[in-house]
Amino acid sequence: MTSLLAELRYPAVMGVVNVTPDSFSDGGRFLDSGAAVEHGLLLVEQGADLVDVGGESTRPGSDPVPAGVELIRVIPVIERLVAVGVAVSVDTMKSEVAAAALDAGARMVNDVTALRHDPRMADVVAAHGAALCLMHMKGEPKTMQDDPRYDDVVAEVSGFLEQRVAVAVAAGIDPDSICIDPGIGFGKTLAHNVRLLKELDVICEIGPPVVVGTSRKRFIGSITGREESDRVAGTLATSVMALEKGAAIFRVHDVRDNRDALDVAAAIMRLP
Ligand code: HH2
């Protein structure tokens, strides 16, 4: 099977479905699998090219969830979305969850630890011929926002991502199946997040398609003073600017608005 990344139209919109009680912006809304499936279908109708299903929050301060709980949350949702032809990625750092999700038809693993949490993850992704998103995170969700520091955030994040791509390829994962993500908000201050977006072209020059996840995040609230549910306009500014810098995949909650903003920006960018 060809890589999911080769099949996507770009810019690609990845809609977020969190089957969790505690995600920072939609926690508890889709814990029921029927509600989660319905929401995933709505996101596709609104223009999502793939749906990212997660059963463990990684928001700052969050606690880990056992694999058994994550499985119960995500597998029924993935099965039902796949059954109606939706391209699904699974947001997990556990190989057991990734394997079950891929067996259920998911096409991509979105590992926010970039293969560092679970030594078996690379083999699972390689064996299934799945796509893989490698994200940068400094520290762990529980403590990552406790005074994160960098000498040069762009150099550190891009060096890390280059190294993790090399690890993934050495483990037998097809280079054309890999995408990379600077991990906006994962062990980063407002200044770090804004700097990474300003110099996103450096990350894009590494080669693999770049994923950005700015949707409704705290740094947007720090700039605008708005609550999570009221950060769509701020998110759209980041999506359009990231597109201009070369980002390919946009992980968002508000699919309809991001789809429109990206399509209009892309139409302007396509002009000679
Ligand atoms: N952000 C979140 C979760 N997964 N994956 C990638 N690749 N990039 C991101 O920026 C990213 C991610 C956090 O957002 P959300 O899923 O809405 O919240 P929570 O982790 O609380 O479930």
Side-chain angles (χ1 to χ4, degrees):
M1 199 191 282
T2 57
S3 164
L4 171 66
L5 299 178
E7 287 174 23
L8 293 175
R9 59 167 166 168
Y10 292 97
V13 173
M14 179 197 240
V16 179
V17 175
N18 286 316
V19 196
T20 60
D22 56 344
S23 288
F24 80 96
S25 82
D26 57 359
R29 280 189 63 199
F30 312 117
L31 195 51
D32 168 71
S33 63
V37 171
E38 236 174 77
H39 189 62
L41 295 176
L42 175 69
L43 297 184
V44 171
E45 204 183 292
Q46 292 181 343
D49 301 288
L50 73 160
V51 171
D52 192 37
V53 179
E56 177 179 49
S57 173
T58 47
R59 75 177 199 289
S62 59
D63 286 313
V65 167
V69 173
E70 225 182 303
L71 284 167
I72 290 169
R73 289 179 182 170
V74 301
I75 299 303
V77 177
I78 293 171
E79 282 172 348
R80 286 168 63 189
L81 289 174
V82 167
V84 291
V86 176
V88 171
S89 74
V90 60
D91 188 347
T92 187
M93 57 180 87
K94 300 185 188 76
S95 62
E96 189 185 340
V97 177
L102 296 172
D103 286 342
R107 306 274 312 275
M108 176 155 111
V109 176
N110 174 21
D111 181 358
V112 298
T113 75
L115 304 178
R116 291 177 300 161
H117 175 75
D118 186 331
R120 291 179 298 276
M121 184 65 105
D123 285 348
V124 165
V125 175
H128 283 82
L132 173 66
C133 180
L134 296 166
M135 197 197 79
H136 175 271
M137 167 164 53
K138 196 177 184 80
E140 292 175 357
K142 190 84 193 155
T143 52
M144 66 188 177
Q145 290 307 110
D146 298 348
D147 195 22
R149 287 170 194 235
Y150 300 81
D151 287 333
D152 177 338
V153 68
V154 176
E156 190 170 324
V157 169
S158 57
F160 170 88
L161 291 173
E162 275 175 322
Q163 187 254 343
R164 298 318 293 170
V165 171
V167 167
V169 172
I173 297 167
D174 175 5
D176 292 336
S177 295
I178 297 171
C179 50
I180 54 176
D181 184 332
I184 298 297
F186 285 84
K188 284 139 193 135
T189 62
L190 167 64
H192 297 141
N193 291 319
V194 173
R195 174 58 59 190
L196 279 166
L197 289 169
K198 170 109 183 159
E199 296 186 34
L200 197 67
D201 48 324
V202 176
I203 310 283
C204 295
E205 278 161 18
I206 296 171
V210 168
V211 179
V212 281
T214 56
S215 187
R216 301 184 185 174
K217 280 187 178 166
R218 185 185 297 178
F219 81 102
I220 294 173
S222 303
I223 296 169
T224 61
R226 309 251 183 236
E227 295 302 314
E228 280 91 345
S229 60
D230 204 10
R231 294 177 187 163
V232 185
T235 302
L236 298 181
T238 64
S239 293
V240 169
M241 293 205 71
L243 177 72
E244 228 261 325
K245 300 275 180 195
I249 302 174
F250 299 79
R251 183 183 182 280
V252 298
H253 303 88
D254 305 288
V255 166
R256 196 186 66 115
D257 299 296
N258 278 276
R259 177 86 268 164
D260 284 359
L262 288 164
D263 285 349
V264 171
I268 297 166
M269 284 170 60
R270 269 196 299 274
L271 289 181

